[in-house]
Amino acid sequence: MKINLPITGQEKRYSDDMTLVSKTDTKGIITFANRDFVEISGYSEEELVGTNHNIIRHPDMPPAAFEVMWKTLKRGLPWQGIVKNRCKSGDHYWVDAKVVPIKKSGEIIGYMSVRKAAARADIEAAEAAYKLAATAPETIKETAVAGWKKYLSIKNGIPLWILFVTLMMIAGGILGIGGLNLSNSAIQSLYYEEMDPVQVIGRINFLMADNRAQVALALHHDPVTHPTAQHDHPMTFHTQTLVKNKEEIDRLWEPYVKRIANETEKGLAEQYWQARNRYVQEGLLKARQALEAGDYPQAEQILLNNVNPLYDQANASVSVLLKHLSDRGLAKFTQVTARNQTIAAVAIAGIVSGCLILIVCGIFFFRVTVMPLHKAVLALEDIAEGNLSGAVDSGGYGEPGRVMAAVTVMQMHLKVMMHEIQQSSDSIHSQCHSLNQLMMNLAEQSEEQHDRVYQTLDAIVESSSGLKAMAASAAALMQSVEGAEVGTAEGAAEAPASALEPMPAELLALFGESPEATPALEPKAASAAAAAARPAVSGGLERQTQEVASAASVQAMAVEETARQLRQIAGLIVNNREAVQGAWAASQHLEQTARELENLVKYFE
């Protein structure tokens, strides 16, 4: 870890309105630093950009804090913490820093840090934590959610919710269907094991009673005791009924005995069957024999002495058996009822428990999903209203946590964008001001150059006019010289004095003479002098005059060309001045754009 020294121990405080922004690549090299960061750090922008961000790291910061920060950032999550940074001078300043990853096409391409002035209470807590971490680094732990909570997400929660509800429905169905099956089984068991034997025993008991009744009815066929009895059937009907009843009793008793599994019931049934056999053997059979023999008094005696007492004994045994079956049936009924009640209680408990679990899970789901999403919506609404300073909790887990992290990253990006726009707007203002000053100077110089060009042009035009006049005078002089060579001496002597006029001042200047230096001659003397001088100067004067005329014409043309070029230059100067005016208008428009950008930045506070 880099240790930046020296340190002064002096804290540098700054306004809460200042926001320190920096961007780095994935290796920590600074790629952007805003004005506030440059001002507070004490480094120039040139010293910061291209340098590793640890240039501002303070020796008091424990390495564990940065390890936690990098772990969080490499997972693509934002990190927030109180950080102590070092100024270039050795002073330090505290920041409440939010660091977010910068992604492109899903890949992290850098990191962005947005820092505000930390609250004094947070600074004191951070100082204490960092002092403790110097000897116990494990005290600084990652605040991001870890462990089982990382699996809490909508993607996992909804399938689990569906699975839980499905299992509850299956469990309820199993419980309900199983309960119905148990109830059906219990009812069948109650019927076949308890009711059917009761019905069988009851039918047997009824047949036994019917047998006794058949013996008593058969006595009514005694002609002695019932001489006037009217019967529509013979006495043998009753004896045959006794045989049929006995056969039916035997047929009913055999399967019943085979189904008996209870020892108590088996013992009671055995007692009853023995009593029934005595009833049959010692009572009914003897009574039937007496009836068939026509011995009605004997049959009556057997009825009173044997059949009735034996029937009572058998009936007492069957009553004990029926009571046992009834008690067992009641016990099974009670058992089935209790089991059904248990099933109902379990079903109710399952329903109540399921409802409670669903309610608890619903509340938990609401807290971990809906509430964070609601906070994310509020944060987005604040951002839409231009508030970029609102606190956004980037914690949480699952999809809501990712949404909150994305909102935090978006808020930080927008805040940094606003700072960059503000910085660019200020730069535009500064550059436009310099450009306007330069264009103003250029416009003034162009105006001055324009005036000087036209002054020069006026002088050239005047010179051109003089050269044209000189050429014309030279041409007139040539004509005069040619006329003098053709005339005779007499003509010359008689010529008027006006024929020889003074030489123009321009030609005299060419010959180095001045008008005042040439004396006026008398006409005759002038004629004589001219006649005498003509042979000597005629050739030279003519040649010089021609050269002067030619030079004057050439110079006049050159001066006119120069004047034309100056007019073009003047036109170019005018065009340049118009271009400067256009550039001035563009600069004003650019400044207006900068002001609009400032208004946009002011909207996002």
Side-chain angles (χ1 to χ4, degrees):
M1 174 179 171
K2 181 178 179 180
I3 300 177
N4 296 317
L5 296 174
I7 55 175
T8 63
Q10 297 295 322
E11 180 180 357
K12 185 175 184 179
R13 299 193 180 185
Y14 52 98
S15 171
D16 293 339
D17 297 332
M18 299 182 72
T19 302
L20 286 62
V21 179
S22 62
K23 292 181 181 179
T24 69
D25 59 15
T26 54
K27 296 181 180 179
I29 303 301
I30 298 175
T31 58
F32 171 80
N34 72 336
R35 287 195 314 271
D36 291 344
F37 180 34
V38 171
E39 178 182 346
I40 300 302
S41 67
Y43 292 95
S44 66
E45 185 176 357
E46 291 74 16
E47 289 176 311
L48 291 173
V49 175
T51 306
N52 196 288
H53 206 280
N54 59 18
I55 190 175
I56 62 168
R57 183 176 294 175
H58 198 279
D60 290 347
M61 284 298 297
F66 294 105
E67 290 177 3
V68 169
M69 179 188 74
W70 284 114
K71 285 182 181 179
T72 304
L73 293 175
K74 287 180 179 179
R75 288 207 307 268
L77 300 175
W79 177 87
Q80 182 176 6
I82 308 300
V83 180
K84 184 178 185 180
N85 288 332
R86 175 184 175 275
C87 301
K88 183 178 181 180
S89 62
D91 296 344
H92 65 270
Y93 59 97
W94 288 91
V95 294
D96 185 353
K98 282 186 178 180
V99 186
V100 297
I102 303 173
K103 293 184 178 180
K104 195 70 173 180
S105 301
E107 297 293 332
I108 297 177
I109 61 172
Y111 303 96
M112 179 174 61
S113 176
V114 179
R115 290 149 289 186
K116 300 285 288 185
R120 185 52 49 185
D122 294 337
I123 293 174
E124 293 174 356
E127 279 185 318
Y130 293 156
K131 287 180 180 178
L132 180 61
T135 56
E138 65 277 4
T139 57
I140 296 182
K141 298 180 180 179
E142 193 173 358
T143 57
V145 177
W148 62 272
K149 289 186 177 180
K150 65 183 179 183
Y151 298 107
L152 293 177
S153 64
I154 297 176
K155 181 179 70 175
N156 296 329
I158 291 179
L160 290 175
W161 183 277
I162 295 173
L163 178 62
F164 175 75
V165 173
T166 304
L167 291 176
M168 281 194 62
M169 294 178 65
I170 293 174
I174 293 174
L175 185 64
I177 296 173
L180 289 176
N181 289 334
L182 288 175
S183 296
N184 291 335
S185 177
I187 291 172
Q188 290 177 358
S189 174
L190 185 64
Y191 176 79
Y192 288 111
E193 294 181 9
E194 312 300 335
M195 297 302 299
D196 187 58
V198 169
Q199 291 178 355
V200 169
I201 298 301
R203 176 65 178 170
I204 291 173
N205 197 40
F206 169 78
L207 292 175
M208 288 176 63
D210 184 61
N211 286 337
R212 188 179 65 166
Q214 292 298 329
V215 173
L217 291 173
L219 293 176
H220 291 174
H221 289 270
D222 184 2
V224 176
T225 56
H226 297 81
T228 58
Q230 299 293 327
H231 301 285
D232 57 354
H233 56 273
M235 187 275 299
T236 57
F237 171 80
H238 298 287
T239 58
Q240 291 175 357
T241 301
L242 290 175
V243 174
K244 291 179 181 178
N245 288 344
K246 179 180 179 301
E247 293 176 351
E248 183 178 357
I249 289 172
D250 292 337
R251 188 174 62 252
L252 291 174
W253 184 258
E254 184 176 358
Y256 164 70
V257 172
K258 291 181 179 179
R259 292 201 305 265
I260 295 176
N262 185 272
E263 293 297 330
T264 303
E265 182 183 359
K266 184 179 291 186
L268 293 175
E270 184 65 25
Q271 291 177 5
Y272 166 67
W273 191 248
Q274 291 176 359
R276 181 259 175 187
N277 287 334
R278 288 195 302 272
Y279 169 67
V280 172
Q281 295 296 329
E282 297 178 8
L284 294 179
L285 289 178
K286 290 181 178 181
R288 189 185 70 177
Q289 292 174 357
L291 289 172
E292 289 177 349
D295 189 356
Y296 291 101
Q298 181 64 26
E300 184 177 2
Q301 284 295 108
I302 294 172
L303 174 65
L304 294 175
N305 297 326
N306 295 342
V307 173
N308 287 336
L310 292 175
Y311 174 78
D312 291 338
Q313 293 177 6
N315 190 48
S317 297
V318 78
S319 297
V320 174
L321 178 60
L322 288 175
K323 185 176 184 305
H324 171 75
L325 294 176
S326 176
D327 291 343
R328 191 174 69 180
L330 179 61
K332 283 195 174 182
F333 175 77
T334 304
Q335 182 182 0
V336 171
T337 303
R339 183 168 58 191
N340 289 340
Q341 290 177 350
T342 302
I343 293 173
V346 171
I348 293 173
I351 293 172
V352 172
S353 300
C355 292
L356 290 176
I357 292 173
L358 289 176
I359 292 172
V360 172
C361 291
I363 295 173
F364 181 74
F365 184 79
F366 181 82
R367 290 184 61 186
V368 301
T369 57
V370 178
M371 292 298 292
L373 291 176
H374 179 66
K375 291 179 181 179
V377 170
L378 294 178
L380 290 173
E381 289 177 349
D382 285 343
I383 293 174
E385 293 175 1
N387 181 16
L388 298 180
S389 300
V392 179
D393 182 10
S394 58
Y397 34 82
E399 289 82 354
R402 292 177 60 188
V403 170
M404 295 302 294
V407 170
T408 301
V409 173
M410 182 184 68
Q411 183 191 50
M412 305 308 294
H413 275 288
L414 285 174
K415 186 177 291 186
V416 172
M417 286 172 60
M418 292 303 107
H419 278 279
E420 291 179 353
I421 291 174
Q422 180 64 53
Q423 193 162 323
S424 299
S425 175
D426 294 341
S427 177
I428 290 173
H429 275 300
S430 176
Q431 296 297 327
C432 284
H433 179 73
S434 300
L435 182 61
N436 290 341
Q437 189 65 37
L438 181 62
M439 287 188 296
M440 185 178 296
N441 296 336
L442 184 59
E444 292 176 355
Q445 293 174 5
S446 297
E447 189 68 30
E448 184 178 354
Q449 290 173 358
H450 184 269
D451 294 340
R452 290 184 180 179
V453 166
Y454 270 97
Q455 290 175 3
T456 305
L457 186 60
D458 292 339
I460 290 175
V461 170
E462 185 177 353
S463 299
S464 177
S465 300
L467 289 173
K468 288 181 180 179
M470 184 183 296
S473 298
L477 179 60
M478 285 289 296
Q479 292 176 0
S480 297
V481 171
E482 290 175 356
E485 290 178 349
V486 174
T488 61
E490 291 84 5
E494 294 176 358
S498 59
L500 294 173
E501 295 180 351
M503 185 180 293
E506 291 82 355
L507 293 177
L508 292 175
L510 289 174
F511 296 109
E513 299 179 358
S514 61
E516 292 81 4
T518 306
L521 300 177
E522 292 294 330
K524 290 182 178 181
S527 298
R534 185 176 296 114
V537 300
S538 127
L541 181 59
E542 182 179 358
R543 185 173 60 256
Q544 292 181 358
T545 302
Q546 289 177 350
E547 293 177 353
V548 169
S550 297
S553 298
V554 171
Q555 290 297 324
M557 293 175 63
V559 169
E560 287 180 353
E561 178 64 22
T562 302
R564 186 181 66 80
Q565 293 179 357
L566 286 175
R567 288 190 182 90
Q568 291 179 353
I569 292 173
L572 292 175
I573 292 174
V574 172
N575 292 337
N576 289 338
R577 185 170 57 188
E578 293 176 354
V580 168
Q581 292 175 350
W584 180 278
S587 176
Q588 295 298 316
H589 181 71
L590 189 59
E591 282 196 300
Q592 178 62 30
T593 302
R595 284 191 290 270
E596 292 175 357
L597 291 176
E598 285 182 350
N599 293 332
L600 176 64
V601 172
K602 289 178 181 178
Y603 176 77
F604 290 96
E605 298 178 353

